[in-house]
Amino acid sequence: MAKYLVAMDQGTTSSRAIVFSAEGRIVASHAVEFPQHYPHPGWVEHDPEDILQSQITALQEAVRLSGIDVGEIAAIGITNQRETTFLWDRQTGKCVGNAIVWQCRRTAKIVERLVADSHGDMIRQKTGLIPDAYFSGTKLKWMLDYYNLREKAERGELCFGTVDSFLCWNLLTGRPHVTDATNAGRTMLFNLETQDWDPELMALLGIPKACLPKVVDSSGPIGTLDPAILGRPIPVTGMAGDQHASLFGQACWKVGDVKNTYGTGCFMLMNTGDQPVRSENGLLTTMAWRIGGKPTYALEGSVFMGGATIQWLRDEMKMITRAAESEGLAESVPGTGGVYLVPAMTGLGAPWWDMYSRGTLVGMTRGTGRAHIVRAALEAIAYQSEDLMQAMARDAGRQPEQLQVDGGASANAFLMQFQADISRVRVVRPRVLETTALGAALLAGLGCGLYAGTEEIAHLWEKDLEFTPQMDEATRLMNLRGWHKAVNRALDWAEH
Ligand code: ADP
């Protein structure tokens, strides 16, 4: 009997694949890195061939390393870096150029124009997104303009896709041109209410309908892996953008469930159920997933400098040699001695949204040392996450009691305890930290009928560690007051 699930996890710097048992345990995994291209300042591209080949190798290697029989794979799930944009010829499959990566700022001017022309509110209302160059829509517009391809696109001779679409087209039998609802939701072309491409948004950006993929559910039949890749046809029955897959893999299936991923940046998502919640606090409204045609929505916020704050201490400040060293140093002092680090090196996101704020270190005395600053850096990751969580709580009208965590910096026990303290929530870390891949695998497992429903897989999500709030309320409030005072010093600093 088929009893394994495989996740393809196509990320920004590497393509990975993980083989899971039906019990949600990791059997084997493999990752392949690929080059980043920076043709101009602020521009970021990927070579589509690199994405494809690295993903195929990762998949083949993970399955080989697992030692399982390919016939025992029940289904494959796909998860991916979001918003990165591909455009290819429907006849030849050849991309018109490199993929434009989510980080690429080349379309910032297009977005400024849209906002200046008062389209911002309409875009927010329909897509749940704050207009930004991150999202695929303006990247696709740029490609159609730059390569002069609008007429060709209108004739249906071109296909647009995010990474999920691109992989499906190239790896599945019969070349389906599809995207899942979570990925569609990051294009700035997808209407959250109608669950379809929006004609007004398409017209605004000059995007012909004929180049857009069919939007499918995040779980359910999507296609079949080309047998040339693993030697057998395998159903692909799960697909979601990375943050959405991670929310699913963290078992955040109930309204109010929240997860935070502590990677380079932090990504926090809260399940808001079958209704999109409009944010008054600078968060994004996004799809959580769509199953059986039924959309589940989420609120999303991100911290730009999460684990990156620790990288900065290591690489630029040379205060530590390894990220993990920060934990012991932070614990070597009883507090920061009144020091706050606001890591606004690239501005501040929700709920502040100030691109002119800059990194600020305040409250130093003659007694301030390296340990205080390192501790302040870790605390800053937690404070920023707390600000996001409060913004979510205000928007959703409910206060979370528990926060599910993952990502590289969630290994730091000091950080996790401080988060529990400052946010007055239980912080829970799962045994499988690869929640993105697990989420894709579980979506595939549901989609192929290996599992009957989420009730059946609830026990697969296993807790590893739990951190409970210990800090007294007066100290918590004093710390938060200090943090917000420090944030105010960081705001509106850069010349503009
Ligand atoms: P990404 O997926 O964004 O590349 P990861 O989830 O791999 O990120 O996490 C890497 C980040 O976590 C780095 O920014 C690193 O500084 C930080 N990090 C890793 N281990 C620790 C640790 N023990 N304490 C604090 N930060 C850590």
Side-chain angles (χ1 to χ4, degrees):
M1 202 197 70
K3 51 183 183 297
Y4 295 97
L5 294 164
V6 180
M8 287 199 260
D9 180 359
Q10 205 302 305
T12 309
T13 57
S14 70
S15 297
R16 304 176 333 129
I18 301 188
V19 179
F20 288 94
S21 69
E23 292 75 43
R25 301 264 163 95
I26 294 177
V27 180
S29 69
H30 191 70
V32 180
E33 289 192 12
F34 54 85
Q36 311 286 314
H37 299 282
Y38 308 105
H40 301 287
W43 289 34
V44 190
E45 296 182 354
H46 288 158
D47 181 336
E49 203 50 37
D50 287 344
I51 298 276
L52 207 51
Q53 290 314 320
S54 60
Q55 188 60 71
I56 293 172
T57 306
L59 177 62
Q60 290 172 334
E61 271 304 290
V63 171
R64 190 185 67 76
L65 289 168
S66 73
I68 64 169
D69 187 308
V70 174
E72 292 181 302
I73 302 173
I76 292 178
I78 297 174
T79 181
N80 56 284
Q81 53 162 320
R82 303 180 297 175
E83 297 123 7
T84 297
T85 300
F86 298 74
L87 184 64
W88 64 91
D89 188 300
R90 199 181 285 278
Q91 208 62 46
T92 65
K94 200 169 161 346
C95 284
V96 304
N98 275 347
I100 304 182
V101 178
W102 58 274
Q103 297 153 323
C104 187
R105 303 309 298 169
R106 80 181 65 178
T107 59
K109 282 270 177 297
I110 302 179
V111 175
E112 276 170 29
R113 182 83 265 164
L114 290 173
V115 174
D117 291 345
S118 309
H119 298 300
D121 286 347
M122 185 271 285
I123 294 173
R124 285 211 67 169
Q125 185 55 33
K126 290 190 166 190
T127 66
L129 305 174
I130 297 169
D132 194 277
Y134 282 129
F135 306 114
S136 319
T138 58
K139 299 184 195 292
L140 173 56
K141 173 183 165 51
W142 186 93
M143 283 184 175
L144 292 173
D145 291 341
Y146 182 81
Y147 297 108
N148 196 15
L149 286 171
R150 197 155 270 109
E151 282 174 18
K152 191 168 169 162
E154 267 158 16
R155 290 197 301 271
E157 293 167 17
L158 291 172
C159 298
F160 150 77
T162 40
V163 173
D164 57 322
S165 313
F166 180 69
L167 291 179
C168 283
W169 170 274
N170 284 287
L171 303 181
L172 274 49
T173 303
R175 297 192 172 281
H177 186 210
V178 292
T179 187
D180 98 292
T182 67
N183 278 294
R186 313 294 294 189
T187 57
M188 229 166 81
L189 297 166
F190 186 73
N191 187 315
L192 287 179
E193 306 272 356
T194 65
Q195 286 291 301
D196 204 354
W197 304 118
D198 188 272
E200 191 180 1
L201 293 166
M202 284 166 8
L204 187 61
L205 291 173
I207 310 291
K209 175 106 195 263
C211 71
L212 298 179
K214 177 173 172 238
V215 182
V216 300
D217 284 354
S218 320
S219 181
I222 294 163
T224 309
L225 189 77
D226 184 336
I229 297 167
L230 288 178
R232 270 176 185 262
I234 300 167
V236 174
T237 56
M239 195 149 80
D242 52 12
Q243 296 309 321
H244 316 268
S246 149
L247 187 68
F248 198 85
Q250 281 278 20
C252 291
W253 304 326
K254 293 194 315 297
V255 177
D257 288 351
V258 195
K259 73 95 191 178
N260 194 19
T261 300
Y262 297 80
T264 309
C266 299
F267 281 94
M268 189 180 285
L269 273 79
M270 177 193 271
N271 182 329
T272 62
D274 56 9
Q275 292 303 321
V277 172
R278 305 291 167 185
S279 178
E280 308 269 309
N281 294 286
L283 301 171
L284 305 180
T285 306
T286 196
M287 301 295 302
W289 42 78
R290 197 171 88 187
I291 301 179
K294 206 173 134 295
T296 299
Y297 297 93
L299 280 168
E300 171 176 326
S302 57
V303 167
F304 302 151
M305 293 281 289
T309 315
I310 305 305
Q311 280 169 358
W312 175 77
L313 286 184
R314 186 192 60 194
D315 302 339
E316 260 63 51
M317 293 293 106
K318 316 274 185 216
M319 286 194 189
I320 49 175
T321 53
R322 289 178 309 115
E325 215 181 296
S326 61
E327 182 173 336
L329 262 174
E331 276 166 350
S332 72
V333 285
T336 65
V339 172
Y340 289 90
L341 172 65
V342 184
M345 282 70 167
T346 55
L348 288 170
W352 312 103
W353 284 116
D354 178 14
M355 61 175 153
Y356 300 108
S357 55
R358 284 297 175 270
T360 308
L361 186 60
V362 294
M364 286 172 290
T365 63
R366 281 296 298 271
T368 299
R370 184 167 70 108
H372 298 106
I373 293 175
V374 170
R375 185 174 171 123
L378 286 170
E379 291 187 357
I381 301 174
Y383 284 127
Q384 293 180 93
S385 298
E386 160 65 4
D387 287 341
L388 270 186
M389 197 153 60
Q390 286 315 314
M392 269 178 197
R394 283 196 296 279
D395 283 335
R398 58 165 70 224
Q399 193 69 38
E401 287 165 16
Q402 180 162 314
L403 178 67
Q404 322 272 104
V405 299
D406 53 57
S410 74
N412 191 306
F414 168 79
L415 171 59
M416 294 299 104
Q417 182 59 49
F418 192 77
Q419 188 74 72
D421 286 342
I422 215 67
S423 300
R424 229 176 12 176
V425 291
R426 265 192 317 277
V427 168
V428 181
R429 199 169 71 193
R431 240 169 46 86
V432 175
L433 281 174
E434 300 283 359
T435 57
T436 304
L438 178 62
L442 294 180
L443 285 166
L446 284 172
C448 74
L450 181 67
Y451 312 124
T454 47
E455 316 74 47
E456 201 176 297
I457 50 174
H459 70 282
L460 299 185
W461 185 93
E462 288 178 282
K463 177 168 77 181
D464 174 31
L465 274 176
E466 182 170 307
F467 301 85
T468 50
Q470 310 282 344
M471 191 179 278
D472 67 85
E473 190 60 7
T475 310
R476 187 179 85 91
L477 293 175
M478 190 183 68
N479 283 336
L480 278 170
R481 257 199 315 276
W483 164 252
H484 289 135
K485 216 164 129 187
V487 168
N488 273 305
R489 299 288 194 275
L491 294 176
D492 195 25
W493 183 264
E495 294 295 335
H496 60 97

